[in-house]
Amino acid sequence: MTADLFWILLIAIVASLFWQQRRQSELAKNYIVRRCQQTNVQLISIARGSHSFGRPKGPLDIQTRYYFEFSVNGLDCYQGYAVMKGMRIKEIYMPAYPVLEE
């Protein structure tokens, strides 16, 4: 009986962490897409990088780094990253790239 309760609790915790990670991934994608639209570049791909559990001066949060590739003119490719802490964007980095004049 106690073992069953333990397994149910473990499955619930793992499912909760999975759901939180999926939600964080969707929010990160929205932030990255919006930033690419604001800077007038073409988004090529998004990938989840490393993530860690941390608690520096606050609640337990998952901090995840998302890498993305973008292009200015369709021929070149640049790589940036976004850092999510919990459900908030902490940082978005895009390297220097040439700006096309219209």
Side-chain angles (χ1 to χ4, degrees):
M1 175 114 170
T2 305
D4 292 338
L5 184 60
F6 170 76
W7 286 111
I8 291 171
L9 185 61
L10 183 66
I11 291 170
I13 290 171
V14 169
S16 174
L17 288 173
F18 173 77
W19 242 256
Q20 183 177 5
Q21 188 66 47
R22 289 299 316 141
R23 198 168 128 219
Q24 187 185 56
S25 294
E26 287 298 318
L27 289 172
K29 178 184 173 193
N30 291 339
Y31 285 125
I32 293 168
V33 166
R34 199 170 334 145
R35 178 59 64 94
C36 287
Q37 288 173 346
Q38 289 171 349
T39 56
N40 209 18
V41 298
Q42 177 186 5
L43 179 64
I44 298 172
S45 66
I46 302 173
R48 185 177 70 221
S50 62
H51 58 272
S52 61
F53 296 94
R55 200 183 140 123
K57 299 180 183 176
L60 179 64
D61 280 328
I62 298 174
Q63 183 168 317
T64 309
R65 183 175 289 227
Y66 295 89
Y67 295 99
F68 62 96
E69 294 179 336
F70 63 95
S71 177
V72 177
N73 57 11
L75 300 174
D76 51 9
C77 183
Y78 299 94
Q79 186 177 27
Y81 64 85
V83 178
M84 293 283 292
K85 182 174 180 177
M87 297 301 153
R88 296 180 185 257
I89 192 78
K90 184 177 176 185
E91 170 187 10
I92 292 184
Y93 169 77
M94 295 175 77
Y97 57 89
V99 179
L100 295 178
E101 295 185 22
E102 295 179 16

